[in-house]
């Protein structure tokens, strides 16, 4: 495998990001979200989500970084500076393609998110919401030193609410 490059995403990347996001959800959330949603609606839903994200969150208040290998999107991370600022910047998305899991791409994207926050808002904490039953993601965030500071049942997609955990890094 050739080296991974990290580059800023732009509105032209919405389609590929939405497809990878949907693929990630299909793998991680099977049995947690409805099969009909995952099989028939998740791609359109995520496309709508990312179209809105790029249209409504100012570029200087967000980071959307993609990991590319040989022209292929292997993963991405999104950080929002102003979502629940009392907790710090929110790592809103971190997704790696199923074939890239275990290669270090998730860790690389996570560290890039932390570095970006430190550079644009020094001293700012970081937090994220993780679906409680997503044990793979939870193990990853535990290894990164995240502390669970809150639990809540929150809407994930199409009004479906699931138990989530807030992880926090000072």
């Amino acid at each position: 495998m050739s080296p991974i490059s990290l580059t800023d995403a732009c509105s032209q990347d919405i389609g590929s990001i939405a497809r990878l996001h949907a693929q990630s959800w299909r793998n991680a959330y099977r049995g947690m979200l409805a099969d009909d949603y995952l099989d028939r609606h998740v791609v359109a839903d995520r496309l709508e989500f990312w179209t809105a994200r790029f249209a409504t969150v100012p570029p200087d208040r967000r980071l959307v970084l993609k990991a590319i290998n040989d022209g292929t999107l292997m993963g991405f991370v999104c950080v929002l500076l102003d979502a629940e600022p009392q907790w710090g910047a929110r790592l809103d998305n971190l997704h790696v393609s199923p074939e890239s899991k275990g290669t270090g791409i998730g860790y690389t994207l996570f560290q890039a998110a932390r570095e970006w926050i430190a550079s644009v808002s020094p001293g700012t904490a970081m937090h994220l919401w993780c679906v409680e039953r997503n044990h793979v993601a939870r193990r990853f965030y535990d290894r990164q030193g995240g502390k669970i500071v809150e639990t809540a049942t929150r809407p994930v997609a199409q009004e479906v609410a699931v138990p989530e955990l807030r992880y926090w890094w000072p």
Side-chain angles (χ1 to χ4, degrees):
M1 184 157 99
S2 60
I4 300 298
S5 64
L6 300 182
T7 57
D8 289 325
C10 64
S11 59
Q12 287 80 15
D13 298 310
I14 289 171
S16 60
I17 288 171
R19 283 188 299 278
L20 178 56
H21 195 169
Q23 179 185 32
S24 179
W25 275 22
R26 283 178 175 146
N27 287 344
Y29 297 155
R30 186 72 60 186
M32 295 177 229
L33 300 179
D35 286 347
D36 183 61
Y37 169 74
L38 292 172
D39 295 337
R40 298 182 47 214
H41 305 289
V42 69
V43 174
D45 182 59
R46 295 298 84 195
L47 186 58
E48 183 179 321
F49 173 87
W50 284 104
T51 300
R53 168 71 40 91
F54 274 88
T56 60
V57 180
D60 64 326
R61 306 308 295 166
R62 65 165 153 79
L63 170 72
V64 183
L65 194 63
K66 55 187 182 168
I68 303 291
N69 181 316
D70 292 330
T72 301
L73 180 64
M74 307 305 284
F76 69 91
V77 66
C78 176
V79 178
L80 305 173
L81 288 179
D82 302 320
E84 300 179 285
Q86 68 274 20
W87 289 99
R90 182 166 75 199
L91 191 147
D92 199 47
N93 295 97
L94 175 59
H95 296 277
V96 175
S97 67
E99 61 274 7
S100 301
K101 297 239 181 207
T103 64
I105 292 172
Y107 176 78
T108 300
L109 288 166
F110 182 87
Q111 290 303 319
R114 294 290 305 229
E115 291 168 12
W116 181 77
I117 294 165
S119 72
V120 299
S121 187
T124 297
M126 183 177 82
H127 70 103
L128 62 85
W129 286 101
C130 181
V131 172
E132 185 176 35
R133 289 177 51 200
N134 188 346
H135 299 291
V136 172
R138 289 179 59 189
R139 281 191 299 274
F140 176 81
Y141 296 128
D142 289 341
R143 284 193 311 269
Q144 306 318 311
K147 304 289 183 244
I148 297 171
V149 294
E150 182 179 9
T151 62
T153 298
R154 302 176 64 244
V156 174
Q158 293 192 337
E159 305 306 317
V160 174
V162 298
E164 291 190 299
L165 307 170
R166 186 191 305 269
Y167 276 84
W168 183 74
W169 291 262

